[in-house]
């Protein structure tokens, strides 16, 4: 009878200790809660070939990632954070020494075309991943996500969530400068 009260109390204390440990680790800088691990870092980009969305000239495949430093952005017209980061991608696409490509994830071609016609298209190529299958191969959790690939199409960096000016300044641009050398 006493175990019925003791076991929940012990579980509660253990769960509380786990939460305290996680909070202390985050506060001390040992863990970043926004970081999502990727098993693909340092590995070649997954093999894929996607058609262009209707109304766009060029699709996207693994072959298009080779030979150039690449910023691959996973995005969709229905994604509010994608719209927030969009002006930064337009700005980034004007720079030289790398290409910006898009993986349009689980989107409708007509909605995408209307959005990019209105707000501008930063992408040299866009692949339409209508089913989300290629996104699964990349380990996509949700849009937006941004991957940086070297000239050998190896994934060297992954950012989950919308890009910000600070992330571009502190992470993305320094990495692109290093890869362009």
């Amino acid at each position: 009878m006493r175990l019925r009260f003791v076991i929940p109390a012990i579980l509660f204390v253990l769960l509380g200790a786990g939460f305290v440990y996680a909070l202390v680790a985050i506060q001390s800088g040992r863990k970043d809660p926004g970081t999502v691990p990727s098993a693909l870092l340092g590995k070649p980009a997954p093999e894929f070939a996607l058609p262009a969305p209707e109304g766009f000239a060029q699709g996207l495949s693994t072959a298009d990632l080779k030979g150039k430093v690449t910023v691959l952005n996973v995005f969709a017209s229905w994604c509010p954070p994608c719209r927030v980061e969009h002006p930064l991608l337009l700005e980034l696409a004007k720079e030289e020494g790398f290409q910006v490509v898009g993986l349009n994830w689980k989107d409708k071609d007509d909605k995408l075309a209307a959005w990019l016609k209105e707000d501008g298209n930063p992408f040299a190529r866009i692949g339409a991943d209508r089913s989300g299958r290629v996104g699964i191969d990349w380990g996509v959790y949700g849009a937006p996500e941004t991957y940086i690939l070297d000239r050998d199409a190896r994934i060297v960096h992954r950012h989950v969530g919308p890009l910000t000016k600070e992330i571009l300044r502190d992470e993305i641009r320094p990495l692109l400068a290093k890869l362009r050398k």
Side-chain angles (χ1 to χ4, degrees), residues 97-172:
F98 57 90
Q99 65 177 344
V100 178
V101 299
L103 180 70
N104 186 233
W105 191 58
K106 298 182 181 181
D107 207 353
K108 305 265 188 242
D109 291 358
D110 58 332
K111 303 273 187 197
L112 171 67
W115 174 35
L116 294 184
K117 182 178 180 184
E118 182 178 324
D119 291 350
N121 182 359
F123 305 110
R125 306 177 83 89
I126 301 174
D129 186 15
R130 294 178 186 99
S131 70
R133 178 69 203 142
V134 171
I136 290 170
D137 293 343
W138 279 80
V140 170
Y141 284 88
E145 291 189 18
T146 303
Y147 295 82
I148 309 297
L149 296 94
D150 65 14
R151 285 184 177 88
D152 297 324
R154 288 192 180 279
I155 300 169
V156 297
H157 183 76
R158 175 185 186 205
H159 177 77
V160 176
L163 296 172
T164 64
K165 288 180 181 181
E166 293 77 20
I167 290 166
L168 284 177
R169 180 191 67 222
D170 299 339
E171 295 176 27
I172 304 298

Side-chain angles (χ1 to χ4, degrees), residues 39-111:
L40 296 178
L41 287 178
K43 295 185 178 168
E47 288 294 325
F48 71 98
L50 290 171
E54 191 174 318
F56 292 86
Q58 299 178 323
L60 184 65
S61 70
T62 308
D64 300 318
L65 307 176
K66 295 179 179 171
K68 300 175 188 167
V69 174
T70 302
V71 176
L72 184 140
N73 184 255
V74 179
F75 75 105
S77 64
W78 48 261
C79 162
C82 297
R83 291 181 181 260
V84 169
E85 76 174 4
H86 191 75
L88 297 173
L89 289 170
L90 287 166
E91 182 183 308
L92 192 63
K94 292 176 185 173
E95 298 177 25
E96 295 186 16
F98 57 90
Q99 65 177 344
V100 178
V101 299
L103 180 70
N104 186 233
W105 191 58
K106 298 182 181 181
D107 207 353
K108 305 265 188 242
D109 291 358
D110 58 332
K111 303 273 187 197

Side-chain angles (χ1 to χ4, degrees), residues 13-31:
V13 168
L14 289 174
L15 186 61
F19 282 128
V20 169
Y21 173 78
L23 287 173
V24 169
I26 289 168
Q27 291 298 321
S28 68
R30 287 184 294 187
K31 291 185 180 178

